[in-house]
Amino acid sequence: MNEAAMPVIIYGAGGHAKVVLDALEESGRKIAGFIDDRSNRAGSEYCGRPVFNDLRGRGEGAVVVVAVGDPFDRARLTERVLESGLDLASAVHPSAVIARDVEIGPGAMILAQAAINSGTVIGSGAIINTGATVDHDCVIGSFAHIAPGSRLAGHVRVGDHALVGIGATVIPGVEIGAGAVIGAGAVVIADVGPGTTVVGVPAKTISDPGGEGGR
C-alpha cells in the first residue's frame, strides 16, 4: 500500500500531538489513534480519537509519527517504533512551503506556514514548527526542533537533538552543535558548541558542558 494512504498512529497525546494531528488531517491522512504510555489514559479519547497505551496489535497496515516535544524522548520512542517493525511517517502541513529538492527524513514534522528553501536536508524525527523559516542549504539534524517563528539563514547546520527556540534568529553559516539549546528570541552570530545553552541579543553562553557558563 502507498504510505500516504496508510492510517497513521500518533505516538504521544499532548500539545504537540494535537498540532501534528491538525497537519495530518489537513493533508488528508486517516488517523488510527494515539499512543500514550500512561496506563490511566488507555481506553479514553483525545481529540476525538482513541488512546492506546502501547503499540501491540495497533500497527497492522499503519505507520507512526512520534509527536512528543522532548528530542531525547522522541528519539527513544522512535527506536521503540522501529524495533516493533513499524514504519515512520512524516507529517507535512499543506500550508508549508517546501522547495522541490528538500530532503525530508522519516518521521519529520513540517508544520503550518513553515518555509524550507532549496538544498536543505531535514533529519529523521526533526520538527520544523509553526511559521519557522529555514533558508537554502541548511542541514537540520535528527530529532532537532526548530521552534515556532524561528529563522535560519542559509548554510546553517543544526545538530541532532538541538533546539532553536521560539523566535530565534541564526545568521548564515553558523553551526549549532548536537543537543544545544538556543533561547527564545536569541540572535545567534557565532557557532554554538554541543550541549551549550545560549540566550540574548547577541546570544551569549549561559551553560557550557565543556567550560564555564556566562562567559
Side-chain angles (χ1 to χ4, degrees):
M1 181 186 294
N2 185 333
E3 187 270 331
M6 299 173 74
V8 181
I9 298 169
I10 300 175
Y11 206 144
H16 183 64
K18 184 183 296 186
V19 177
V20 170
L21 171 66
D22 177 69
L24 291 166
E25 289 188 320
E26 288 294 321
S27 59
R29 300 299 297 268
K30 179 181 178 181
I31 311 301
F34 295 90
I35 298 289
D36 191 312
D37 293 331
R38 294 167 289 185
S39 59
N40 64 324
R41 296 194 65 178
S44 65
E45 288 192 349
Y46 187 66
C47 299
R49 299 293 194 282
V51 177
F52 313 109
N53 65 358
D54 59 46
L55 287 166
R56 288 178 296 179
R58 312 297 177 191
E60 292 185 12
V63 290
V64 181
V65 175
V66 181
V68 297
D70 182 272
F72 295 97
D73 284 346
R74 198 158 63 253
R76 175 178 57 83
L77 295 175
T78 294
E79 184 175 357
R80 184 180 298 176
V81 170
L82 295 175
E83 287 175 349
S84 74
L86 297 175
D87 291 326
L88 296 170
S90 296
V92 179
H93 196 285
S95 69
V97 178
I98 304 173
R100 286 176 292 179
D101 64 344
V102 170
E103 297 180 27
I104 300 175
M109 288 151 274
I110 316 297
L111 300 176
Q113 301 296 323
I116 307 174
N117 283 332
S118 182
T120 291
V121 177
I122 308 296
S124 175
I127 301 170
I128 311 300
N129 218 321
T130 309
T133 60
V134 179
D135 217 321
H136 63 89
D137 301 299
C138 290
V139 177
I140 310 301
S142 296
F143 309 107
H145 184 175
I146 311 303
S150 53
R151 297 167 292 181
L152 274 56
H155 292 284
V156 169
R157 299 181 69 90
V158 179
D160 295 349
H161 307 95
L163 168 65
V164 178
I166 293 173
T169 300
V170 183
I171 70 167
V174 164
E175 182 167 351
I176 297 169
V181 175
I182 310 302
V187 176
V188 181
I189 62 173
D191 291 352
V192 177
T196 299
T197 298
V198 301
V199 300
V201 181
K204 297 183 182 300
T205 300
I206 63 168
S207 175
D208 179 358
E212 297 180 16
R215 298 184 64 182

